[in-house]
């Protein structure tokens, strides 16, 4: 097998493994939510539309180009492919994108409420608050644009009345971000019943995020 082909097989496998892990951890239910990974500058591997994650195989993962048009795969690409591609185009360093309908993130998304930086781990990875994008119908270019606006320079955003999307420099980081945002949303909702969480300062969040981006990420991978 050629080196490029092996790379594509590995990326497709990683998308399958991550989707099934998200499903197992109850961050995704049924066939809702979607996962993608960058193959190279202009192509991405995306979960198929309407396919249960339990029976997903690497061949089901659809390869799309930078216009979101299917190039290879047995199925239709995810209905949120436009959103995934828009994130890769805005953030050249993005290596993976995860969109879920996890419970506490959705709780804030239905309230159309931003999640302030209240807990250090999430704040340092996301880079600040998780803001809620203005409502748009699923799968539309309008939704993709609203999400880009809510993201700003950060790594996660809520989608009003819908869910949450996160990106990472690799799949491991995108997965960790999805888990951290769900945890922070749960803490925020729980703290609301006990008088409300106190926010971290903007300056402290900036310092922690800078350290995370420049050093901690490398230390997690044994590169520093
Ligand atoms: Zn969705």
């Amino acid at each position: 097998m050629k080196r490029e082909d092996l790379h594509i097989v590995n990326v497709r496998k990683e998308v399958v493994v991550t989707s099934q892990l998200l499903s197992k951890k109850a961050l995704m239910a049924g066939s809702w939510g979607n996962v993608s990974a960058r193959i190279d500058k202009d192509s991405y591997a995306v979960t198929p539309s309407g396919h249960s994650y339990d029976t997903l195989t690497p061949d089901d993962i659809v390869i799309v180009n930078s216009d979101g048009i299917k190039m290879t795969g047995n199925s239709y690409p995810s209905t949120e492919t436009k959103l995934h591609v828009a994130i890769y185009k805005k953030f050249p360093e993005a290596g993976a994108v995860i969109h879920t309908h996890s419970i506490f993130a959705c709780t804030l998304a239905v309230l159309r409420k931003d999640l302030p930086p209240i807990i250090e781990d999430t704040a340092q990875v996301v880079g600040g608050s998780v803001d809620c994008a203005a409502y748009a119908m699923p799968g539309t270019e309008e939704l993709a644009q609203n999400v880009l606006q809510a993201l700003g320079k950060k790594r996660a955003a809520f989608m009003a009345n819908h869910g949450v999307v996160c990106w990472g420099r690799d799949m491991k980081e995108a997965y960790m971000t999805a888990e951290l945002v769900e945890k922070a949303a749960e803490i925020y909702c729980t703290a609301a019943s006990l008088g409300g969480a106190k926010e971290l300062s903007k300056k402290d969040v900036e310092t922690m995020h800078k350290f995370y981006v420049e050093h901690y990420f490398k230390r997690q991978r044994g590169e520093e």
Side-chain angles (χ1 to χ4, degrees), residues 32-34 79-80 99-101 138 143 159 162-164:
W32 281 274
N34 29 72
T79 47
E80 294 301 350
H99 160 55
T100 78
H101 297 177
L143 177 60
M159 297 145 75
H162 182 161
V164 56

Side-chain angles (χ1 to χ4, degrees), residues 108 115 118-119 122 179-189:
L108 295 178
L115 169 64
I118 52 155
I119 188 100
T122 312
E179 274 197 320
L180 285 173
V181 169
E182 178 63 6
K183 186 191 74 150
E186 182 173 2
I187 292 167
Y188 186 67
C189 293

Side-chain angles (χ1 to χ4, degrees), residues 160-174:
N161 303 83
H162 182 161
V164 56
V165 65
C166 309
W167 67 266
R169 284 170 282 183
D170 57 19
M171 187 63 85
K172 217 170 143 188
E173 189 179 48

